[in-house]
């Protein structure tokens, strides 16, 4: 497995995309710190990158990468190697390189300009979200044989979690506004990794947004130690469940 | 003739002072307790009380006297009594520590209670763990200055107000520090009074509670971390100048609650990190000028029952919502403020934005109606619908806008 992982890494480095991605994050983070004197505001701007741009890049890149290395995968599978091992090395290769690109690109400027609670939370949420969307990308890749279709599914995933789901959530909240919705919305938020990441971030840097009874309820829940464990746990589930299903589909698939 | 009159007056004053004697109270003095000294004293005498603990229940003062504490004398109520009861004009109390009054739900037991008099001065005292701290009823022209009041109650029903004023006139409250009481400063039916340079924090309910108190001024006070901020209600002609409202966090907590206020001024105040900086309902003809609203949940929650208020030259920075309202009819004027979210341009470089700014966002309206929607704050969806609404207002009140927003934050320190 280690050997295949190494080849995947080399392959990824050859495309140079990762290098550009790291550089892009690095330069934009640095620029934001340079332009704005308030580090909390910078984290706020970085948050929109982490919640919007990064999932998009992760999911599209991972899907394209999977199809580009299709021949390599086929070649490997011609050898007496378990399908699971091949798949996992591909997966780990992409997930690890994308998340380390993020950690280096944003982490170094943050280290340079001062680490705060919210900055650490940003790095944690960013890394977890990257891996979640790589998992979703691999799931969409094994669902179909057609590259264009797979990218379509991947984009749909991104669109769904970034926009459509929130729209539905808002609709639910609005329609059932006469009922106590706190616990229901808590459950509903867990069904969207982007929302979960956003709330984890909001609690560390933008508490004034969470006012009122509802806000106090969320703050009491997510702000506690148990709440943190809960949200990280749910995000890990969002990593493991799609990966599990894609491994299952991949091992039974007629390539 | 005038000179002779003046001379006569002066001699009269000197003689009257010469007539006033000083009575000393202390463990090693002739007189051991304060009550005895008061009984012996003639009007306008001075009583000097030396250090030590005095446990005398309810000391009554019924003639004009000056009581001075030396070396921190402590008057203890043993958790049972009211400590000092003043029922005479021209009394001055200074330099004492009052502690442990009784707690009662029937009577308002206080460390110092003053009623039906005028010209009383309470100065440089400490009040520790009192039920009510300094209590005035039906008084005139009195001064409460540089006192420190602290209490450590956990529940609102276990504690009274720090400085409590009822049905009084021309009072002056300055430089006091009140913390841990129910309401820091409580005003009801108190007119023509001045509250300045006080600090009221960590009180269980309001930092300042203010009702039916016309034509008062409060300035340069600090109100922070109180359970519910500051409430000003049912009053006309209040001036609120250069006060500091900070970190009043919570569901029902306001930096400043204005309810049924008329013809008043809110000038030069700073509202920082409150859940709601100003909540106002049923208020009219108030001028809000040169205030700073920074890092609040809501800058102003303007209920539709308010009219003819003016908001000019204020700074709105880093608030979650600048202004929220619950109706479409706009009867207030908003003009020439600085908004950090303003994205307009200034072609003629006169420092005034060329396109109006709409401080109410659609999402603020949604949250006003359905508080649970706060969960979606800073999501992409909310960003999109706010943008769409800004371009083409449908839900937000069309006329609630700042026609001449400032391009730059005002510098009020100058």
């Amino acid at each position: 497995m280690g050997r295949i992982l190494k080849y995947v890494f080399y392959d990824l480095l050859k495309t140079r995309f990762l290098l550009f991605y790291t550089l892009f994050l690095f330069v934009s983070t640095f620029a934001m710190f340079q332009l704005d004197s308030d580090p909390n505001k910078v984290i706020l701007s970085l948050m929109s990158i982490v919640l919007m741009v990064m999932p998009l890049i992760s999911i599209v890149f991972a899907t394209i990468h999977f199809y580009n290395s299709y021949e390599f995968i086929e070649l490997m599978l011609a050898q007496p190697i378990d399908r699971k091992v091949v798949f996992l090395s591909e997966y780990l290769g992409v997930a690890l390189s994308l998340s380390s690109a993020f950690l280096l690109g944003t982490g170094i400027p943050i280290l340079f300009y001062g680490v705060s609670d919210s900055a650490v939370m940003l790095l944690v949420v960013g890394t977890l979200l990257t891996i979640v969307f790589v998992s979703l990308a691999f799931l969409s890749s094994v669902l179909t044989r057609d590259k264009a279709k797979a990218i379509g599914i991947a984009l749909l995933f991104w669109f769904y979690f970034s926009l459509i789901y929130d729209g539905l959530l808002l609709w639910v909240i609005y329609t059932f506004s006469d009922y106590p919705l706190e616990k229901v919305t808590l459950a509903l938020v867990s069904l969207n990794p982007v929302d979960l990441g956003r709330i984890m971030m909001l609690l560390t840097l933008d508490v004034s947004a969470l006012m009122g009874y509802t806000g106090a309820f969320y703050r009491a829940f997510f702000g506690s130690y148990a709440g943190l464990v809960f949200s990280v746990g749910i995000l890990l589930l969002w990593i493991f469940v799609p990966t599990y299903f894609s491994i299952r589909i991949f091992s039974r698939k007629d390539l | 003739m005038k000179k002779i009159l003046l001379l006569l007056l002066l001699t009269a004053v000197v003689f009257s002072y010469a007539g006033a004697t000083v009575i000393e109270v202390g463990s090693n003095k002739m007189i051991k307790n304060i009550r005895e000294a008061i009984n012996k004293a003639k009007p306008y005498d001075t009583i000097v009380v030396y250090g030590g603990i005095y446990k005398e229940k309810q000391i009554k003062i019924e003639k004009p006297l000056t009581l001075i504490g030396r070396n921190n004398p402590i008057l203890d109520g043993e958790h049972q009594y009211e400590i000092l009861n003043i029922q005479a004009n021209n009394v001055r109390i200074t330099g004492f520590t009052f502690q442990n009054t009784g707690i009662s739900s029937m009577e308002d037991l206080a460390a110092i209670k003053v009623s039906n008099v005028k010209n009383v001065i309470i100065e440089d005292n400490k009040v520790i763990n009192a039920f009510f701290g300094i209590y005035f009823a039906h008084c005139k022209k009195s001064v409460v200055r540089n006192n420190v009041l602290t209490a450590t109650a956990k529940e609102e029903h276990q504690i009274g107000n720090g400085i409590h004023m009822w049905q009084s006139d021309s009072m002056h409250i300055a430089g006091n520090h009140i913390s841990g009481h129910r309401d820091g400063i409580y005003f009801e039916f108190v007119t023509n009074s001045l509250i300045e340079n006080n600090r009221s924090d960590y009180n269980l309910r309001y930092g300042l509670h203010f009702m039916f108190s016309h034509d008062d001024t409060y300035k340069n006070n600090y109100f922070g971390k109180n359970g519910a901020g500051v409430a000003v209600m049912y009053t006309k002609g209040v001036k609120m100048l250069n006060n500091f409202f900070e970190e009043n966090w919570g569901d029902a907590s306001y930096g400043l609650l204005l309810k049924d206020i008329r013809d008043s001024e809110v000038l030069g105040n700073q509202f920082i990190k409150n859940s709601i900086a100003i909540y106002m309902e049923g208020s009219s003809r108030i001028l809000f000028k040169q205030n700073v609203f920074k890092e609040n949940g809501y800058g102003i929650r303007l209920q539709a029952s308010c009219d003819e208020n003016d908001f000019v030259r204020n700074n709105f920075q880093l608030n979650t919502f600048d202004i929220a309202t619950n109706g479409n009819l706009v009867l207030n004027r908003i003009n020439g403020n600085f908004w950090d979210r303003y994205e307009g341009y200034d072609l003629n470089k006169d420092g005034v934005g060329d396109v109006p700014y709409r401080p109410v966002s659609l999402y603020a309206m949604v949250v006003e109606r359905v508080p649970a929607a706060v969960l979606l704050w800073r999501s992409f969806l909310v960003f999109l619908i706010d943008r769409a609404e800004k371009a083409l207002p449908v839900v937000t009140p069309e006329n609630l806008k700042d026609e001449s927003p400032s391009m730059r934050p005002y510098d009020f320190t100058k």
Side-chain angles (χ1 to χ4, degrees):
Chain A
M1 186 162 166
R3 278 248 317 265
I4 309 178
L5 195 60
K6 206 167 76 186
Y7 285 124
V8 174
F9 259 128
Y10 284 149
D11 191 35
L12 282 168
L13 281 178
K14 246 192 287 177
T15 58
R16 282 199 214 98
F17 171 81
L18 277 175
L19 207 67
F20 285 123
Y21 180 53
T22 317
L23 213 66
F24 158 74
L25 286 174
F26 185 80
V27 170
S28 49
T29 313
F30 237 110
M32 279 182 206
F33 272 112
Q34 286 278 315
L35 288 174
D36 213 315
S37 50
D38 184 4
N40 264 346
K41 257 177 122 180
V42 177
I43 302 289
L44 219 55
S45 319
L46 282 175
M47 183 176 118
S48 41
I49 291 189
V50 163
L51 295 178
M52 291 298 307
V53 183
M54 246 184 44
L56 180 65
I57 290 178
S58 306
I59 202 166
V60 171
F61 176 76
T63 315
I64 292 175
H65 170 83
F66 186 85
Y67 280 92
N68 285 351
S69 37
Y70 217 88
E71 283 169 5
F72 174 74
I73 293 172
E74 278 175 337
L75 182 71
M76 281 300 112
L77 289 182
Q79 318 298 320
I81 305 173
D82 193 357
R83 278 191 174 194
K84 228 188 260 176
V85 172
V86 177
F87 185 85
L88 270 179
S89 352
E90 280 289 340
Y91 171 77
L92 284 178
V94 178
L96 288 180
S97 47
L98 273 175
S99 41
S100 46
F102 164 72
L103 281 175
L104 287 177
T106 22
I108 291 173
I110 284 175
L111 270 182
F112 196 78
Y113 280 96
V115 183
S116 61
D117 275 6
S118 47
V120 171
M121 190 54 98
L122 180 93
L123 293 178
V124 171
V125 169
T127 314
L128 285 172
L129 276 184
T130 303
I131 304 175
V132 167
F133 276 83
V134 170
S135 304
L136 290 171
F138 274 74
L139 181 61
S140 56
S141 306
V142 296
L143 280 176
T144 165
R145 179 70 187 80
D146 186 16
K147 185 176 174 180
K149 230 186 201 168
I151 294 178
I153 296 173
L155 282 176
L156 201 69
F157 269 133
W158 175 78
F159 208 63
Y160 176 75
F161 287 124
S162 303
L163 204 59
I164 299 174
Y165 189 86
D166 287 350
L168 292 174
L169 187 59
L170 187 60
W171 177 77
V172 168
I173 290 173
Y174 219 91
T175 315
F176 299 99
S177 58
D178 293 340
Y179 300 89
L181 279 176
E182 282 74 27
K183 286 187 181 144
V184 181
T185 44
L186 202 69
L188 287 176
V189 159
S190 313
L191 294 176
N192 182 350
V194 178
D195 275 351
L196 204 56
R198 184 170 48 79
I199 289 172
M200 283 166 76
M201 294 247 33
L202 276 187
L203 280 166
T204 56
L205 52 79
D206 200 17
V207 242
S208 66
L210 295 171
M211 53 236 147
Y213 172 73
T214 322
F217 176 82
Y218 295 128
R219 205 164 55 218
F221 179 77
F222 285 108
S224 68
Y225 185 67
L228 193 71
V229 171
F230 170 83
S231 14
V232 171
I234 294 284
L235 280 179
L236 288 177
L237 269 186
W238 270 105
I239 292 170
F240 289 129
V241 172
T243 316
Y244 171 75
F245 278 109
S246 32
I247 289 177
R248 245 173 85 115
I249 295 170
F250 186 76
S251 5
R252 293 173 188 181
K253 200 177 168 188
D254 184 16
L255 288 167
Chain B
M1 186 63 195
K2 256 186 186 171
K3 272 185 185 169
I4 298 168
L5 264 179
L6 201 69
L7 208 68
L8 271 175
L9 201 71
L10 266 174
T11 35
V13 169
V14 170
F15 268 99
S16 67
Y17 265 103
T21 44
V22 175
I23 302 171
E24 292 187 322
V25 181
S27 51
N28 50 1
K29 304 280 178 208
M30 286 282 287
I31 300 171
K32 304 274 187 261
N33 69 61
I34 300 170
R35 180 169 283 119
E36 200 185 328
I38 292 173
N39 288 338
K40 279 197 175 157
K42 288 187 287 297
Y44 299 101
D45 278 358
T46 297
I47 297 173
V48 177
V49 182
Y50 287 90
I53 296 185
Y54 298 83
K55 293 179 179 170
E56 302 174 46
K57 63 176 187 179
Q58 212 195 36
I59 303 165
K60 271 194 182 157
I61 300 180
E62 286 164 318
K63 49 195 152 192
L65 289 174
T66 299
L67 264 71
I68 298 172
R70 291 261 163 80
N71 303 329
N72 194 27
I74 296 170
L75 274 59
D76 196 321
E78 299 175 88
H79 299 290
Q80 290 179 55
Y81 323 110
E82 187 166 272
I83 300 174
L84 195 60
N85 193 323
I86 300 172
Q87 295 178 8
N89 297 339
N90 305 310
V91 173
R92 180 163 166 249
I93 309 288
T94 176
F96 289 89
T97 295
F98 297 84
Q99 65 181 27
N100 307 333
T101 65
I103 291 175
S104 159
S105 43
M106 302 295 288
E107 295 166 80
D108 295 342
L109 298 178
I112 304 172
K113 188 179 264 178
V114 189
S115 41
N116 303 309
V117 294
K118 58 187 178 187
N119 298 329
V120 172
I121 299 174
I122 313 278
E123 202 173 21
D124 298 314
N125 298 291
K126 266 188 208 143
V127 180
I128 300 165
N129 276 333
F131 184 53
F132 279 79
I134 300 170
Y135 188 111
F136 277 83
H138 297 285
C139 292
K140 271 187 181 167
K141 293 182 188 159
S142 294
V143 178
V144 180
R145 198 186 296 143
N146 300 339
N147 300 287
V148 178
L149 299 94
T150 47
T152 50
K154 295 274 179 293
E155 298 288 336
E156 276 183 21
H157 61 82
Q158 295 170 341
I159 185 95
N161 305 319
I163 296 176
H164 181 103
M165 302 251 160
W166 197 73
Q167 195 98 46
S168 297
D169 185 70
S170 305
M171 310 296 279
H172 185 195
I173 296 169
N176 302 289
H177 183 176
I178 310 118
S179 54
H181 277 274
R182 184 170 62 198
D183 293 339
I185 302 173
Y186 180 97
F187 261 54
E188 195 170 356
F189 308 109
V190 180
T191 47
N192 304 313
S193 298
L194 175 62
I195 305 173
E196 61 180 348
N197 302 325
N198 299 288
R199 188 180 170 93
S200 178
D201 51 16
Y202 298 102
N203 293 296
L204 299 181
R205 196 166 64 184
Y206 297 114
L208 171 68
H209 193 173
F210 199 93
M211 291 181 294
F212 308 104
S213 295
H214 307 311
D215 305 309
D216 291 344
T217 300
Y218 60 97
K219 63 181 185 186
N220 301 332
N221 299 291
Y222 174 93
F223 303 105
K225 304 175 188 84
N226 297 300
V230 168
V232 182
M233 307 191 268
Y234 317 111
T235 297
K236 62 179 164 58
V238 200
K239 286 193 173 66
M240 311 165 210
L241 316 171
N242 304 327
N243 299 290
F244 211 96
F245 302 85
E246 192 180 51
E247 290 192 39
N248 297 294
W249 283 124
D251 184 23
S253 187
Y254 314 99
L256 177 60
L257 168 72
L258 298 171
K259 185 175 166 54
D260 292 290
I261 305 293
R262 281 173 292 126
D263 303 295
S264 296
E265 289 174 10
V266 181
L267 305 181
N269 300 287
Q270 304 219 31
F271 299 88
I272 297 181
K273 293 187 180 169
N274 304 289
S275 287
I276 301 167
I278 295 185
Y279 178 95
M280 52 194 288
E281 60 181 48
S283 299
S284 29
R285 297 188 295 274
I286 305 178
L287 173 64
F288 296 85
K289 199 173 171 186
Q290 300 186 342
N291 301 292
V292 174
F293 298 86
K294 206 170 174 184
E295 295 175 57
N296 301 290
Y298 290 91
I300 297 170
R301 254 177 101 170
L302 184 63
Q303 300 296 295
S305 52
C306 301
D307 65 338
E308 291 185 55
N309 298 293
D310 280 294
F311 300 89
V312 269
R313 289 174 63 87
N314 301 291
N315 280 343
F316 290 85
Q317 288 158 308
L318 300 170
N319 302 303
T320 304
F321 305 119
D322 290 328
I323 294 185
T325 181
N326 62 348
N328 275 314
L329 189 62
V330 181
L331 303 165
N332 302 286
R333 289 173 295 267
I334 298 172
N335 225 332
N337 300 285
F338 170 76
W339 314 88
D340 65 343
R341 283 202 188 80
Y342 182 58
E343 287 170 341
Y345 46 82
D346 178 20
L347 282 183
N348 55 359
K349 304 273 179 218
D350 60 353
V352 176
D354 296 347
V355 284
Y357 174 74
R358 295 177 196 284
V360 179
S361 68
L362 172 63
Y363 182 58
M365 301 285 284
V366 171
V367 173
E368 183 82 25
R369 229 169 282 173
V370 194
V374 77
L375 200 63
L376 288 169
W377 174 238
R378 287 196 187 284
S379 68
F380 188 47
L381 176 83
V382 165
F383 170 79
L384 281 186
I385 58 173
D386 266 351
R387 273 299 149 115
E389 179 72 16
K390 278 246 152 68
L392 211 77
V394 181
V395 182
T396 52
E398 223 275 318
N399 291 320
L400 192 75
K401 57 186 172 186
D402 191 329
E403 288 283 0
S404 47
S406 167
M407 295 302 287
R408 233 162 251 129
Y410 294 105
D411 184 4
F412 298 131
T413 52
K414 272 190 265 182

